[in-house]
Amino acid sequence: MGRLRSAAVLLSAATSSALLATPARRPVRTVCPKATATDVEESKETSSVSFTVKVPASLTKAAYKTAASELAQTREIPGWRKKDWKKIPAQIVVNTVGKETVKSIAIEKLTETEVHSAITTLDVEVVGQAQLMGDPQEVTDSFTPGEEWDMRVKIDVWPEAIWTAPWDDGSLEVAVEREAKDQSVRDKAMEALRERYCDVVDAPADHVAAAGDVAVVDIDGYLRDPETGARAGALPIQGAVGGDDLELLLEPGKFLPGVVEAVVGKKAGESVTVPVDFPESKQYREEQPLAGVKAGFDVNIKAVRIRSLPALDDAFAGKIRDGLTLKELEAEVEYTVGAQEEDKTTEGVHKELEKALAGRLSSKLPEALIIESAKQRFAVMLAEMRSNGTPDEQLKQMVSEEGFQKYVKVVRPRVEVELRGRLAVESIAKEKGISADETAVDEQMELVKRQYEQQEADSGAAFNEDKAREKVTSELTRVAVLDEVRTKAKITYTDAPKL
């Protein structure tokens, strides 16, 4: 029985929540098994495996005794105090709650322990929980404490790819919209370079600070009394907010709320006090440690400098790199932006190819796999809604069994296509021996680590390097497989509307 390796979706270096998660596989390891699976039958059609576990007499007796002890702790046993539950004979418990009840709990315990142990002897990757086979009453009747018992169980496994048509016979066709050329992106790139390499000169003493200027300021932040506006103590965060000789670009949104607006219209040598009431919202609190704080900032304007953007000419290009001409600079910008647009087109090709491959599989997807994938999607959706400001009361109304079932009904078709697509990619990778380039994996891992250090380190969450490497490797393998599929497929491109 072959094992299908995981093809989990990579969380891109730009986001930690965007991509939708694939249910984590549970590889089963063989570690000193206590039980052995016999009479094993694997069904590719139903993506399941059934087997028998022979439970020795000693374990059926022990499980029955344990079940009686647990019931003695939780049930009222006539003539006995609860604190004396250890002294209650098992037969008295059985007489009180019924033999069927004790046997059912004993069977449940054996299912949890012995079945898991038996699974470790199989070369499969399971999905969901094992189920006892047969009529429940007959299963219970067949169990006798102190006697050997054959337990027949069934559990879903990760499916294998069953192809209805070859993927590499040239008949695979997809249509993809080519990413439109966006001149505004090119213009913004050039404008960003002009901003970066602008000329800055000291303004005359009587110059009034204007938007676009740079102000050199000293800023002192403190808690503000909301009634009097007076200083009421230090700000409740580590380190100072503000400092001396700060260069403040006078553009809205570049600094603390209201500070830039207060400096505009002032001259060097003037001072201004800016009251700031930081918002209370949860979304803001995640990004700003001063959320909900009423603060004051004393701003001393020491100097004002005037920025002037250079003309788009060879002199400007030469500031970026000696000898660089404007024509060469425009070519470099075009190459960079064009490559980004091509990457988006390639991403679109990969997605369409994955969908087309999914359509060529008839593999049955275990319901547990679909539900688990939907659960993870559901969790991501709720987290994004919360971060976007959706009230908790509204979210609570959605978090119900009825709400989840409605969600499953909506996303099921998409989930099934994505799972089959990944299953197809796995199959092709195995067939062709395609794997991720280790050097590329190492390079991507460096980017992921850097992103974590910049965005996540302060959250206190530990960086799981093994899990991150698994995701990176999986995604790079996926890309390599779909690049191979692309060489065998017919791809029709349509031009997107011009932006």
Side-chain angles (χ1 to χ4, degrees):
M1 289 174 285
R3 175 175 298 186
L4 296 175
R5 299 295 178 187
S6 173
V9 179
L10 173 67
L11 296 182
S12 71
T15 177
S16 62
S17 65
L19 148 240
L20 298 172
T22 297
R25 296 192 172 189
R26 300 190 299 163
V28 181
R29 306 179 187 279
T30 304
V31 183
C32 300
K34 296 179 181 179
T36 302
T38 60
D39 301 324
V40 180
E41 296 180 1
E42 186 176 10
S43 171
K44 292 184 179 180
E45 287 72 24
T46 62
S47 298
S48 65
V49 61
S50 57
F51 53 92
T52 298
V53 180
K54 291 187 175 296
V55 185
S58 59
L59 287 182
T60 61
K61 182 178 180 179
Y64 191 76
K65 184 177 180 180
T66 299
S69 295
E70 290 187 359
L71 288 166
Q73 296 179 65
T74 58
R75 299 291 184 90
E76 291 290 340
I77 308 298
W80 293 85
R81 294 177 297 182
K82 278 205 170 183
K83 68 177 184 178
D84 295 327
W85 65 269
K86 290 184 179 180
K87 301 177 182 179
I88 306 176
Q91 190 56 50
I92 291 180
V93 177
V94 172
N95 293 340
T96 302
V97 304
K99 191 173 184 178
E100 297 295 305
T101 300
V102 182
K103 288 173 68 173
S104 295
I105 294 178
I107 290 172
E108 182 180 330
K109 289 188 170 299
L110 290 171
T111 304
E112 293 173 354
T113 58
E114 298 310 295
V115 171
H116 174 74
S117 181
I119 289 173
T120 64
T121 66
L122 301 173
D123 187 19
V124 297
E125 297 183 43
V126 299
V127 179
Q129 301 297 320
Q131 302 293 325
L132 288 169
M133 298 180 67
D135 178 76
Q137 186 60 54
E138 292 179 0
V139 170
T140 303
D141 292 343
S142 69
F143 177 83
T144 302
E147 294 184 7
E148 186 179 88
W149 181 52
D150 287 349
M151 180 166 47
R152 188 70 181 173
V153 297
K154 178 180 179 181
I155 190 167
D156 290 332
V157 297
W158 287 84
E160 292 188 23
I162 301 175
W163 295 92
T164 59
W167 62 271
D168 57 354
D169 63 354
S171 64
L172 197 69
E173 294 186 37
V174 296
V176 180
E177 188 176 82
R178 197 186 303 273
E179 187 71 16
K181 181 175 180 178
D182 190 346
Q183 184 59 41
S184 68
V185 176
R186 292 155 174 78
D187 295 340
K188 288 177 181 177
M190 292 297 289
E191 193 64 20
L193 289 171
R194 293 180 71 206
E195 292 274 356
R196 182 175 178 181
Y197 292 94
C198 66
D199 297 316
V200 182
V201 297
D202 291 335
D206 61 348
H207 177 76
V208 175
D213 289 346
V214 174
V216 181
V217 298
D218 294 340
I219 299 181
D220 178 28
Y222 50 85
L223 282 178
R224 184 185 93 253
D225 186 311
E227 295 183 0
T228 67
R231 185 183 293 261
L235 291 172
I237 63 172
Q238 296 294 328
V241 176
D244 296 336
D245 296 324
L246 300 176
E247 291 194 349
L248 182 60
L249 177 59
L250 301 183
E251 290 184 356
K254 291 291 185 181
F255 200 61
L256 296 170
V259 172
V260 167
E261 291 79 2
V263 172
V264 170
K266 300 292 188 294
K267 299 178 182 179
E270 295 183 338
S271 297
V272 62
T273 296
V274 184
V276 178
D277 293 343
F278 291 92
E280 289 274 8
S281 72
K282 282 189 176 182
Q283 179 185 3
Y284 190 78
R285 186 175 294 279
E286 292 174 358
E287 303 171 358
Q288 172 56 262
L290 291 175
V293 170
K294 298 187 183 302
F297 293 91
D298 291 339
V299 183
N300 177 33
I301 305 169
K302 302 174 72 173
V304 177
R305 294 173 180 167
I306 300 174
R307 298 164 67 248
S308 59
L309 299 180
L312 288 173
D313 53 24
D314 289 344
F316 160 61
K319 286 185 176 183
I320 298 173
R321 190 168 68 247
D322 287 343
L324 184 68
T325 66
L326 178 62
K327 186 175 181 179
E328 291 169 339
L329 175 60
E330 290 174 338
E332 290 184 6
V333 169
E334 175 61 35
Y335 177 81
T336 301
V337 176
Q340 293 171 350
E341 292 169 347
E342 182 60 32
D343 286 345
K344 290 182 179 179
T345 299
T346 297
E347 183 180 346
V349 170
H350 284 172
K351 287 182 178 178
E352 293 303 317
L353 287 174
E354 219 165 5
K355 291 178 184 177
L357 291 171
R360 297 199 170 194
L361 292 188
S362 62
S363 308
K364 175 178 172 54
L365 299 175
E367 184 67 11
L369 180 59
I370 296 171
I371 295 301
E372 182 62 22
S373 182
K375 282 182 180 178
Q376 295 190 13
R377 280 174 165 268
F378 194 57
V380 170
M381 181 190 72
L382 293 176
E384 290 177 346
M385 291 176 66
R386 179 176 287 111
S387 67
N388 290 332
T390 303
D392 284 346
E393 287 302 318
Q394 183 177 339
L395 293 175
K396 287 179 181 178
Q397 293 176 4
M398 298 176 62
V399 183
S400 66
E401 182 61 27
E402 182 182 1
F404 176 66
Q405 290 304 325
K406 289 181 179 179
Y407 177 78
V408 172
K409 187 175 181 181
V410 172
V411 301
R412 178 182 288 272
R414 192 184 317 161
V415 168
E416 291 185 356
V417 169
E418 289 185 357
L419 289 174
R420 281 199 173 88
R422 295 188 184 102
L423 182 59
V425 168
E426 278 189 0
S427 175
I428 296 169
K430 184 177 179 180
E431 173 191 343
K432 293 294 184 180
I434 299 174
S435 59
D437 179 77
E438 286 302 319
T439 300
V441 171
D442 291 339
E443 291 174 352
Q444 286 296 315
M445 281 298 297
E446 288 301 316
L447 293 175
V448 172
K449 289 178 184 177
R450 202 171 303 142
Q451 179 205 1
Y452 169 81
E453 291 169 357
Q454 294 173 352
Q455 299 180 10
E456 304 292 341
D458 292 340
S459 69
F463 179 68
N464 189 327
E465 184 165 349
D466 290 341
K467 187 173 181 180
R469 179 172 288 276
E470 179 186 352
K471 290 179 180 291
V472 168
T473 302
S474 177
E475 176 62 13
L476 291 180
T477 300
R478 170 184 171 272
V479 169
V481 167
L482 293 173
D483 282 343
E484 172 67 18
V485 174
R486 187 176 187 175
T487 65
K488 308 291 185 180
K490 179 180 178 182
I491 302 172
T492 303
Y493 295 96
T494 59
D495 291 328
K498 292 185 179 181
L499 300 176

